[in-house]
């Protein structure tokens, strides 16, 4: 396989995958950041911050954290900085800010918008893995014990290549370490307390920052929440799959009531069942581009993030009729999350010990989701950690946040990546209020709901707490596409 084809295969393969602690304080005398104009992104400054590789052993070397800053547009009324992370794991916040990612103009007026690439990601000291290992055959949905052993061998080889090429950072990229980096960033920015917006996997960073540094929190808005208290592999897979099924049912209902849907008036579940059966037989797609079940369900679920339901309906019809399906988003817009598994598997202990166990999960999940059969993101994340060689430095635990820490949680009622039930659990454990967006998609702040935007903005700017139980009505996807609003980050994983 040539280099170009290997790189393309790596993009395809990886894009499919997709403890209570007290941290020692970051240095009180953090060096200021040397800001310079970014090579891309007009009006944005870039800089780097040096932090210990291992916060518990600061003499063992350092890594660099990349930052990008867009200054407050109303400097006379500037409050401070709002640190932002787009999730992933593997999303590059500094890169997103250079590309124009921001919260509302009201927030951008009062805060410097600061994005950071977490350790291992983007322009920070990066986790790099072997191309041959990434592009090796990986039966992520093994059909028998032999393929299960091949999956384990793939994971071991990939993880060892990351350690070989990257060095010790490959096993020091957990969220506990990122939280301590965040506190160093806060100090270097000159902010006495942290103001933060994190979406998806970025909520895990915010949750654990609140645990570690309750006295250093000014305001945390956590959007599309992780539930790091989930202990079992089955519970993780089940809740992800339930969310995926709910989104498919919502899509089907939308087609029923929307005449512009290409599948309007048709049995959407029956169409999906036919496509899935063909994917299992190996005859779905074109001769040059066959879709297996993982690729099919991944294509469908990608359209749940926006959501982009009109595009999904057209893709399903095209596939049914033997035409190439339109991709959910351009390949150039999808980051290749090479650090995903190194980071995720250092934060989650989700054991998978045998093929019969994994097969029993798959059969049970097909009952949870009769249309899609499993969550491609949840399945790939859990299966990708089976036999991963790195340590789980930050295993799951219930959130333990001191009462009164200023946190606000947001979540869509129908979210394909971070199920609503996860946000409910995070709210219950932390005591933080949860604002429910009654609509669809990932990243509630970016769904053109003025109710969500205003509630989050008021909390960030002046600390206005909406109280418990606030709900914001849904905005129809067809209406969303015609409205202006803050631009969501490109990251489409957690």
């Amino acid at each position: 396989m040539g280099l170009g084809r290997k790189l393309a295969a790596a993009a395809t393969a990886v894009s499919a995958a997709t403890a209570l602690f007290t941290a020692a304080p970051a240095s009180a005398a953090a060096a200021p950041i040397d800001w310079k104009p970014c090579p891309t992104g007009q009006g944005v400054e870039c800089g780097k911050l040096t932090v210990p590789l291992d916060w518990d052993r600061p003499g063992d070397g350092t890594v660099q954290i990349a930052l990008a800053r867009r200054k407050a547009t109303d400097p006379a009324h500037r409050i401070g900085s709002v640190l932002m992370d787009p999730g992933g794991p593997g999303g590059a916040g500094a890169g997103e800010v250079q590309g124009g990612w921001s919260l509302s103009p009201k927030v951008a007026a009062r805060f410097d918008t600061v994005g950071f690439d977490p350790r291992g990601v983007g322009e920070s000291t990066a986790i790099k893995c072997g191309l041959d290992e990434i592009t090796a055959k990986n039966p992520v949905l093994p059909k028998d014990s032999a393929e299960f052993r091949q999956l384990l061998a793939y994971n071991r080889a990939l993880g060892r290549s990351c350690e070989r090429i990257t060095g010790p950072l490959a096993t020091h990229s957990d969220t506990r370490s990122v939280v301590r980096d965040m506190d160093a960033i806060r100090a270097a920015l000159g902010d006495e307390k942290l103001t933060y917006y994190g979406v998806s996997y970025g909520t895990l960073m915010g949750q654990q920052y609140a645990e570690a540094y309750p006295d250093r929190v000014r305001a945390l808005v956590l959007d599309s929440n992780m539930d790091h208290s989930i202990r079992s592999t089955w519970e993780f897979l089940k809740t992800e799959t339930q969310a995926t099924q709910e989104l498919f049912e919502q899509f089907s209902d939308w087609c029923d009531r929307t005449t512009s849907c290409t599948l309007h008036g048709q049995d959407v579940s029956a169409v999906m069942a036919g496509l899935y059966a063909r994917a299992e037989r190996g005859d779905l797609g074109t001769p040059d581009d066959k879709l297996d079940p993982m690729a099919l369900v991944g294509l469908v679920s990608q359209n749940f993030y926006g959501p982009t339901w009109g595009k999904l309906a057209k893709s399903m019809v095209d596939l049914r009729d033997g035409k190439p399906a339109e991709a959910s988003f351009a390949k150039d817009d999808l980051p290749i999350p090479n650090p995903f598994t190194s980071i995720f598997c250092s934060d989650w202990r989700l054991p998978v010990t045998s093929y019969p166990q994994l097969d029993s999960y798959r059969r049970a999940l097909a009952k949870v989701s009769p249309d899609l059969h499993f969550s491609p993101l949840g399945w790939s994340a859990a299966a990708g950690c089976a036999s991963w060689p790195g340590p789980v430095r930050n295993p799951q635990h219930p959130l333990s946040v001191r009462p009164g820490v200023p946190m606000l949680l947001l979540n869509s009622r129908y979210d394909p990546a971070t199920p609503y039930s996860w946000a409910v659990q995070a709210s219950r454990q932390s005591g933080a209020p949860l604002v429910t967006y009654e609509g669809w998609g990932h990243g509630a702040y970016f769904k053109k709901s003025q109710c969500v935007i205003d509630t989050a903005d008021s909390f960030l700017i002046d600390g206005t707490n909406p109280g418990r139980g606030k709900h914001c009505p849904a905005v129809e996807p067809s209406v969303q596409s015609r409205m202006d609003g803050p631009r969501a980050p490109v990251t489409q994983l957690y």
Side-chain angles (χ1 to χ4, degrees), residues 404-460:
V405 175
M407 298 170 58
L408 178 67
L409 310 187
L410 315 175
N411 223 90
S412 298
R413 173 60 187 84
Y414 303 101
D415 188 310
T418 53
Y420 182 67
S421 61
W422 289 8
V424 171
Q425 280 287 83
S427 174
R428 181 185 63 80
Q429 292 170 13
S430 67
L434 169 62
V435 176
T436 302
Y437 168 60
E438 293 289 352
W440 316 270
H442 192 50
Y445 188 88
F446 302 100
K447 301 309 171 201
K448 313 295 178 65
S449 165
Q450 203 60 48
C451 170
V452 173
I453 293 170
D454 288 346
T455 302
D457 288 358
S458 295
F459 185 78
L460 286 170

Side-chain angles (χ1 to χ4, degrees), residues 206-237:
Q207 292 168 8
Q208 296 198 340
Y209 189 94
E211 288 183 310
Y213 303 110
D215 294 325
R216 301 180 192 177
V217 173
R218 181 189 167 276
L220 306 177
V221 172
L222 309 182
D223 184 354
S224 305
N225 281 263
M226 302 297 294
D227 177 12
H228 203 231
S229 69
I230 292 176
R231 294 285 189 178
S232 73
T233 308
W234 168 246
E235 186 66 20
F236 177 83
L237 292 171

Side-chain angles (χ1 to χ4, degrees), residues 88-166:
E96 293 280 7
V97 168
Q98 289 183 67
W101 184 41
S102 177
L103 300 180
S104 73
K106 187 184 297 185
V107 173
R110 306 294 300 277
F111 293 91
D112 295 345
T113 299
V114 180
F116 76 107
D117 296 354
R119 55 173 57 211
V121 174
E123 295 301 315
S124 293
T125 306
I127 294 173
K128 299 177 182 179
C129 307
L131 184 60
D132 287 343
E133 287 80 6
I134 292 172
T135 56
K137 187 176 180 180
N138 176 20
V140 70
L141 286 171
K143 300 183 183 70
D144 52 37
S145 294
E147 287 197 349
F148 178 73
R149 290 192 296 271
Q150 188 177 1
L151 168 67
L152 300 186
Y154 174 92
N155 291 342
R156 281 194 300 270
L158 178 59
R160 287 168 181 163
S161 80
C162 302
E163 294 179 23
R164 182 181 71 250
I165 295 169
T166 304

Side-chain angles (χ1 to χ4, degrees), residues 239-253 304 309 368-369 371-372 413-415 419-421 440:
T239 51
E240 286 278 58
T241 301
Q242 286 171 333
T244 303
Q245 176 65 23
E246 283 188 336
L247 261 296
F248 186 87
E249 292 168 359
Q250 290 291 308
F251 161 67
S252 180
D253 291 346
F304 294 159
W309 286 344
V368 173
S369 176
D371 291 301
L372 298 185
R413 173 60 187 84
Y414 303 101
D415 188 310
Y420 182 67
S421 61
W440 316 270

